[in-house]
Amino acid sequence: MPSKQPFARRIVIAFTLMTLIVSGLFSLGIVGIVHSIEEHLVSEELDRELNTILQDIGQGLRPRLDSSTQFFATTAPEFAIPLQFSKTQPGFTEVVNGDEAFYVYTRNVGNERYLLVQEQHEFEAREQALFNVVLAGFLLTIAGAWLLGRMMAQKVMAPVSRLAQQVQHRDQLHSSAPALAPEYADDEIGHLASAFDSTLGQLRRSLEREQLFTSDVSHELRTPLMIIGTSCELLDAAPLGAREKEQVARIACAAAEMRDLVQTFLTLARSQPEEASLAGATTLASVAAEQYRRWGPAMAEKGLGFELLEEGTDAQRYNHTLLSTVMSNLLRNALHYTDAGWVHLTLEPDGFRVEDSGMGIPSGQQERIFEPFVRGERARGEGLGLGLSLVKRICTHQGWSIGVSDLAPGGSCFRVVLGQSPNQQL
């Protein structure tokens, strides 16, 4: 499983672990070599001393010993071998008895046994001092490796962090944004910057094509829609029958919806969220009243109870076109999927809800219902499943959030929170 640690921290950890292993092996090697050399030197020294002592005994002299060395042998009662040294093997041996430690050198000559025993407090003190120095060097090496690793990680990660900040900046999507690669050396970071330049270039061209297409289509649709609207006004003033007037009214309503959609697409294509919020600003209550008047006749024609409720006031101002499109699509969706009962448009202090007593949305479809061309298992009519995806796109563009939940015993509730993060939990 890939590590989720930050890259800089992984550099420090790798640097420190490498030093830990190398310095640890080096320290253990020093300790082992010192111990081996100590054993060899002490063994040679004790062997020479024992030879001298045996020569003295052979000449009838008493053994010449220093204060830290003792001589034992089986040849004389005065040099009787103590019990703790009676089982040592020939050659050099270390014997530890509680807090006492001794070097013991044993030699068998025929049936006789000779021992030299030397207290090793002095050797132990020197050895312990050496071990302390090695341990201190080991710890200082680890600390130095950690500090050096941090410095190296900062130096290595500096161009990566800089590149990440540049890529994240929204100005990189502008067509006039400078290339990133020339600012970096011809190394892995430079190659990464070149890859970002290539990808960002493709993204810019794609966005430009989308904006041009949306702008061109929207612009070209305005003229025929204006003609349709004008023709409907003329027909409405003419002496027509009730049925003909109803058909003209439906055409005029459809043309008005198309004009709103054209304006919505233009706003999304040309404006940044801040600019869109300032364009044609209006209040939530004003848009709700307008949509209530617009959808009231259609709800009544289908026999649905349609109410505009208010649970709080929102004095903020929002883009009229985008907010109207969101609310209109949600009300159309409620009308389309509710055969009997009611539809409520409820205003809240930070947004609004559209609730209905319709067939509801299965829990497995609630996450996907905002995706393009997804209509759910109970789809009706000939729609393409783009209404809710447009709502989601507008909410994301404006920093609003939208969610859907079930109502008991049946129905759906779409809640839009205005001015909040799109990731806010509903």
Side-chain angles (χ1 to χ4, degrees):
M1 181 177 179
S3 174
K4 295 184 178 180
Q5 294 283 348
F7 189 55
R9 185 178 300 172
R10 279 186 278 170
I11 293 177
V12 175
I13 292 174
F15 206 85
T16 306
L17 284 178
M18 181 184 69
T19 306
L20 175 66
I21 294 173
V22 173
S23 60
L25 292 176
F26 185 72
S27 301
L28 292 176
I30 291 178
V31 172
I33 292 173
V34 168
H35 186 76
S36 176
I37 293 176
E38 176 190 4
E39 180 179 339
H40 178 72
L41 294 177
V42 172
S43 178
E44 287 186 349
E45 179 185 355
L46 292 177
D47 182 69
R48 287 194 300 269
E49 288 188 19
L50 184 57
N51 288 335
T52 302
I53 291 172
L54 292 179
Q55 290 176 2
D56 291 342
I57 292 175
Q59 297 174 4
L61 302 174
R62 289 191 60 81
R64 289 173 292 176
L65 301 171
D66 57 37
S67 59
S68 63
T69 306
Q70 302 177 44
F71 172 72
F72 301 102
T74 58
T75 57
E78 60 179 313
F79 299 122
I81 299 175
L83 182 62
Q84 60 178 332
F85 305 131
S86 61
K87 297 182 179 180
T88 57
Q89 298 297 320
F92 178 81
T93 307
E94 288 189 50
V95 177
V96 178
N97 184 15
D99 295 334
E100 296 181 332
F102 303 91
Y103 290 142
V104 180
Y105 187 78
T106 305
R107 180 187 295 178
N108 294 334
V109 180
N111 293 327
E112 303 299 332
R113 183 179 177 87
Y114 303 94
L115 281 79
L116 270 184
V117 178
Q118 190 177 70
E119 294 183 0
Q120 56 172 327
H121 297 300
E122 181 180 353
F123 293 100
E124 282 294 315
R126 294 176 181 176
E127 189 178 57
Q128 187 62 44
L130 177 62
F131 291 164
N132 290 338
V133 170
V134 172
L135 178 60
F138 172 74
L139 296 178
L140 288 175
T141 302
I142 297 302
W146 181 76
L147 291 174
L148 184 59
R150 284 181 60 90
M151 294 173 57
M152 293 297 296
Q154 292 177 356
K155 186 174 181 179
V156 170
M157 290 301 300
V160 178
S161 301
R162 178 186 171 198
L163 179 59
Q165 293 176 355
Q166 289 177 315
V167 172
Q168 291 175 351
H169 202 284
R170 67 181 184 183
D171 288 343
Q172 288 297 330
L173 294 179
H174 293 172
S175 58
S176 58
L180 300 173
E183 301 182 21
Y184 297 90
D186 187 17
D187 54 10
E188 289 78 4
I189 305 300
H191 298 164
L192 182 60
S194 297
F196 276 124
D197 283 337
S198 177
T199 303
L200 288 172
Q202 296 177 15
L203 181 58
R204 293 188 196 106
R205 290 190 291 273
S206 177
L207 290 174
E208 289 175 1
R209 286 195 298 267
E210 179 185 356
Q211 291 175 347
L212 288 174
F213 173 78
T214 304
S215 300
D216 292 343
V217 171
S218 301
H219 181 270
E220 294 300 324
L221 285 176
R222 281 185 167 183
T223 300
L225 286 175
M226 185 179 300
I227 294 174
I228 293 174
T230 304
S231 300
C232 289
E233 292 177 2
L234 294 174
L235 288 173
D236 188 56
L240 301 175
R243 182 174 178 78
E244 287 77 9
K245 284 187 173 292
E246 180 181 351
Q247 296 298 327
V248 170
R250 292 184 62 183
I251 295 173
C253 182
E257 291 183 15
M258 291 183 67
R259 282 196 301 270
D260 290 343
L261 282 176
V262 168
Q263 186 59 38
T264 298
F265 292 143
L266 281 174
T267 303
L268 291 176
R270 294 178 177 176
S271 303
Q272 296 296 331
E274 298 84 358
E275 299 171 356
S277 298
L278 298 175
T282 186
T283 61
L284 174 62
S286 176
V287 174
E290 175 186 309
Q291 294 299 318
Y292 179 74
R293 292 191 299 269
R294 176 178 178 181
W295 290 98
M299 298 286 186
E301 182 180 351
K302 197 172 181 179
L304 302 177
F306 184 36
E307 293 186 70
L308 174 59
L309 307 175
E310 186 172 334
E311 295 181 354
T313 57
D314 185 350
Q316 299 294 324
R317 301 183 70 81
Y318 306 98
N319 180 277
H320 178 272
T321 300
L322 299 181
L323 184 56
S324 297
T325 302
V326 169
M327 193 176 294
S328 176
N329 274 277
L330 293 179
L331 290 173
R332 179 188 293 107
N333 190 72
L335 172 64
H336 194 60
Y337 286 96
T338 305
D339 294 327
W342 48 266
V343 174
H344 291 167
L345 173 58
T346 305
L347 304 185
E348 299 178 336
D350 58 352
F352 66 92
R353 303 193 310 271
V354 175
E355 301 169 308
D356 62 68
S357 59
M359 60 182 65
I361 301 174
S363 57
Q365 291 285 326
Q366 289 181 1
E367 291 295 330
R368 300 185 61 247
I369 201 68
F370 296 104
E371 297 178 7
F373 306 106
V374 174
R375 303 187 62 204
E377 299 175 354
R378 304 172 182 176
R380 291 183 173 183
E382 298 180 354
L384 296 177
L386 294 175
L388 291 179
S389 69
L390 177 60
V391 169
K392 180 68 173 180
R393 180 181 174 187
I394 293 174
C395 289
T396 301
H397 183 272
Q398 292 299 107
W400 305 338
S401 60
I402 181 170
V404 59
S405 58
D406 292 326
L407 294 179
S412 301
C413 171
F414 286 85
R415 184 181 180 214
V416 177
V417 179
L418 304 175
Q420 301 293 330
S421 170
N423 297 323
Q424 177 176 332
Q425 184 68 31
L426 295 179

